Amino acid sequence: MGCDGGTIPKRHELVKGPRKVEKVDKNAELVARWNYCALSQEKLRRPIVACELGRLYNKDAIIEFLLDKSPDKAPMEAAAHIKSIKNVTELNLADNPAWSGDKESIKGDKYDDIQSARFICPVVGLEMNGRHRFCFLRSCGCVFSERALKAIKAEVCHKCGVPFQEEDVIILNGNKEDVEVLKKRMEERRLKSKLEKKSKKCKLAESASQQDTTEDSAGPSKAESGKNCISSSSGEKRQIIFTKSSADSGNSSVPGKVNKAASTATKRSIADSEEKSEAYKSIFTSHSSAKRSKEECSNWVTHTAYYF
């Protein structure tokens, strides 16, 4: 029946010891990092982007993450440092000609080679499967193996010819030490960009203040010119403002000529007013004479009609 004295239990069956740490399969971890998006956990498909820490994403997933501003949005540790689309770089990847894809393994009757990768290094030809260290350039987005960059030392991209610096080289899916170094570089880069923006704003404000001061200094001359333009509509105003400006200039230059200019201006204005009054009188007299002639004609017609 059991437990009747014929069986002897062992120690591990009676005493529960510490649990064994579950080891993660390295192959599965490499496949998850290099073939799937770090945000949506979907298969990587073009366009593929990488962040400043070297993680791979689908561009569509990043755009959806940035556009989703709902309060119920779940925090994502994989994309918490991404604040805008400028924080990611679209990658220029070289296809692997030996990669056949998932077409042959649809039925499940073929062995899938995990070490085969979809992309390779365009210089050395190493497959981007996680077995070799790969990096990309922030200036152009081209992807190379670290071996290629060390073997061919240059300050220009091997694929497109765009110049780059050591700070532009970012390792893809690096270890903890690599991620810490990339975090420091990212923080320094963002601080520099903030300081540059502040300096630009200060320069713009200073230039605007300088323009305002120049406009204020040039204001009186503009006002005088505007007065002259307005006064050109009527002859009398033109003469008055001209005499005022001449009087002002005379005050500053020769004080003896001020009275002469003022007297000539008054004489001209008086003469113009007299001419206008005479013209008005002549028009009034002509109008009254015309009325009288009409009345006389009407009276003559009435008298003639009476006699006839």
Side-chain angles (χ1 to χ4, degrees):
M1 295 295 292
C3 292
D4 55 354
T7 60
I8 300 172
K10 295 180 180 180
R11 184 177 182 279
H12 72 273
E13 294 178 357
L14 299 174
V15 179
K16 293 183 179 180
R19 293 183 180 179
K20 294 181 180 180
V21 178
E22 295 181 358
K23 294 182 179 180
V24 180
D25 188 4
K26 292 183 179 180
N27 294 327
E29 187 179 0
L30 292 176
V31 170
R33 280 188 178 183
W34 293 90
N35 295 334
Y36 290 86
C37 175
L39 181 61
S40 62
Q41 303 302 324
E42 296 178 355
K43 275 194 174 182
L44 290 172
R45 59 183 182 276
R46 288 183 173 176
I48 299 171
V49 296
C51 65
E52 295 175 333
L53 301 181
R55 295 168 184 166
L56 299 173
Y57 307 90
N58 288 327
K59 192 174 183 179
D60 299 338
I62 293 293
I63 292 170
E64 290 177 1
F65 173 75
L66 294 173
L67 291 176
D68 187 10
K69 296 181 180 180
S70 60
D72 299 334
K73 181 179 179 180
M76 296 289 182
E77 294 181 0
H81 60 284
I82 299 173
K83 304 300 180 182
S84 67
I85 197 67
K86 294 180 181 179
N87 299 138
V88 296
T89 305
E90 188 172 349
L91 301 180
N92 298 324
L93 297 162
D95 294 326
N96 185 6
W99 187 71
S100 58
D102 299 331
K103 295 180 181 179
E104 297 182 1
S105 62
I106 293 173
K107 297 180 181 179
D109 55 353
K110 188 178 179 180
Y111 173 72
D112 292 333
D113 188 5
I114 298 174
Q115 295 184 357
S116 65
R118 182 180 175 183
F119 307 108
I120 60 171
C121 174
V123 179
V124 183
L126 296 174
E127 293 184 352
M128 199 174 74
N129 54 7
R131 303 287 178 181
H132 309 282
R133 287 168 66 87
F134 271 72
C135 54
F136 75 96
L137 306 178
R138 289 185 65 256
S139 56
C140 59
C142 295
V143 181
F144 301 97
S145 62
E146 192 177 19
R147 186 186 298 179
L149 290 178
K150 288 181 178 179
I152 305 171
K153 293 182 179 180
E155 296 180 354
V156 178
C157 178
H158 305 313
K159 189 175 181 180
C160 60
V162 176
F164 67 92
Q165 299 177 357
E166 292 183 0
E167 295 179 355
D168 296 331
V169 180
I170 296 176
I171 297 171
L172 291 170
N173 292 326
N175 52 22
K176 292 182 179 179
E177 295 177 356
D178 297 332
V179 172
E180 289 178 359
V181 173
L182 293 174
K183 273 185 180 179
K184 290 180 181 178
R185 289 182 182 178
M186 180 182 68
E187 291 173 358
E188 291 175 358
R189 198 180 298 115
R190 291 184 179 180
L191 285 173
K192 285 181 181 179
S193 64
K194 286 181 180 179
L195 293 173
E196 288 177 357
K197 287 180 180 179
K198 286 182 180 179
S199 63
K200 285 181 181 178
K201 287 181 180 179
C202 293
K203 288 179 181 179
L204 291 172
E206 288 178 358
S207 63
S209 63
Q210 288 178 359
Q211 288 179 358
D212 292 336
T213 53
T214 53
E215 288 177 357
D216 292 336
S217 62
S221 63
K222 289 182 180 179
E224 289 177 359
S225 62
K227 286 181 179 179
N228 292 328
C229 294
I230 293 166
S231 63
S232 63
S233 61
S234 62
E236 294 178 359
K237 289 182 180 179
R238 184 189 299 170
Q239 290 175 358
I240 293 164
I241 291 167
F242 178 75
T243 54
K244 284 182 179 179
S245 62
S246 63
D248 294 334
S249 62
N251 287 325
S252 61
S253 61
V254 182
K257 296 181 180 180
V258 175
N259 295 324
K260 292 182 180 180
S263 62
T264 53
T266 51
K267 287 179 181 179
R268 287 179 183 175
S269 60
I270 291 165
D272 293 334
S273 61
E274 289 178 355
E275 289 178 357
K276 285 185 178 180
S277 62
E278 288 178 358
Y280 181 73
K281 287 178 180 179
S282 61
I283 291 166
F284 180 74
T285 52
S286 61
H287 186 67
S288 60
S289 61
K291 281 184 177 180
R292 288 176 183 174
S293 61
K294 285 182 181 180
E295 289 177 356
E296 290 176 356
C297 291
S298 61
N299 292 326
W300 183 76
V301 169
T302 52
H303 286 295
T304 52
Y306 178 76
Y307 286 112
F308 289 103

